[in-house]
């Protein structure tokens, strides 16, 4: 019975997240009501509040879903990276960027960033920071893997380099999210252009 209950709970979570993501996109974060999310997910309002305290917690769950999916996809790149450093970085960063608007709109990202900035010590803020750290750690792991393969200089501080790559990508992603007219292809091109400088400096 416990297995059945776990599956039912996971199904309710999934329906709530999918309904919320759709309504946040359609009505905007502020415009989407918990009652509407419950109706679309075919659960009671009480069920939603059993899992989440407020809409911010639901948004946080959507962000976590987004980031965890790209982290899982990125594991394959770290394990078996392309033999060219530039291609390896571009492949991993590409997974992050190309998937970034799968569940979240730019407006949803702006809301998530605002909450994490305004309430950094809240559960949402701490979870958002932890996700950023996880992405940073994956980039650092890729650098370490490329060093182990002899593709990146051994004297390079791989941990610091991973932080640098993430921080630059994150800053550019924030600028991308700010402008509705900005396109993913433009962001990818800009990141590649800047990462070429690093690749030229770190390659063997």
């Amino acid at each position: 019975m416990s297995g059945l209950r776990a599956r039912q709970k996971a199904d309710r979570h999934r329906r709530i997240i999918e309904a919320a993501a759709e309504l946040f996109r359609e009505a905007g974060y502020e415009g989407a009501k918990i009652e509407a999310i419950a109706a679309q997910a075919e659960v009671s309002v009480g069920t939603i509040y059993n899992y989440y305290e407020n809409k911010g917690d639901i948004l946080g769950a959507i962000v976590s879903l987004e980031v965890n999916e790209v982290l899982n996809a990125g594991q394959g790149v770290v394990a078996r990276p392309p033999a060219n450093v530039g291609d390896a970085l571009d492949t991993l960063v590409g997974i992050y960027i190309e998937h970034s608007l799968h569940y979240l709109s730019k407006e949803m990202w702006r809301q998530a960033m605002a909450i994490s900035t305004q309430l950094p010590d809240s559960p949402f803020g701490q979870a958002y920071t932890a996700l950023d750290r996880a992405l940073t750690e994956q980039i650092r792991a890729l650098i370490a893997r490329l060093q182990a393969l002899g593709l990146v200089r051994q004297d390079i501080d791989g941990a610091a380099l991973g932080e640098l790559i993430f921080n630059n990508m994150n800053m550019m992603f924030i600028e991308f999210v700010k402008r509705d007219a900005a396109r993913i292809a433009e962001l990818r091109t800009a990141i590649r252009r800047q990462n070429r400088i690093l690749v030229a400096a770190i390659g063997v």
Side-chain angles (χ1 to χ4, degrees), residues 30-171:
E30 296 296 341
K33 304 301 181 187
I34 292 289
E35 292 79 8
I37 295 171
Q40 185 147 326
E42 298 181 339
V43 300
S44 69
V45 171
T47 295
I48 290 185
Y49 283 118
N50 283 339
Y51 297 146
Y52 308 102
E53 287 189 12
N54 50 48
K55 280 197 300 184
D57 285 349
I58 300 175
L59 180 60
I62 298 171
V63 172
S64 293
L65 178 64
E66 185 86 68
V67 174
N68 282 314
E69 284 194 4
V70 301
L71 285 168
N72 288 336
Q75 288 176 359
V77 181
V78 174
R80 297 173 299 280
N84 176 279
V85 176
D87 289 345
L89 285 176
D90 187 56
T91 300
L92 185 61
V93 169
I95 289 172
Y96 298 166
I97 299 301
E98 295 290 344
H99 199 286
S100 63
L101 300 181
H102 186 74
Y103 295 107
L104 293 105
S105 65
K106 289 187 178 184
E107 191 267 344
M108 290 162 70
W109 273 115
R110 289 193 289 265
Q111 188 69 41
M113 291 172 183
I115 295 172
S116 68
T117 301
Q118 293 164 2
L119 302 170
D121 297 323
S122 68
F124 181 101
Q126 291 176 349
Y128 193 96
T129 299
L131 292 169
D132 274 355
R133 287 200 191 104
L135 291 168
T136 303
E137 286 302 318
Q138 189 166 74
I139 296 173
R140 292 170 70 173
L142 176 61
I143 298 300
R145 177 70 176 144
L146 294 172
Q147 285 181 309
L149 292 171
L151 300 173
V152 169
R153 287 168 30 203
Q154 296 299 315
D155 62 327
I156 294 291
D157 183 340
L161 178 61
E163 293 166 9
L164 178 65
I165 292 169
F166 173 79
N167 289 339
N168 188 58
M169 176 191 71
N170 195 42
M171 181 275 295

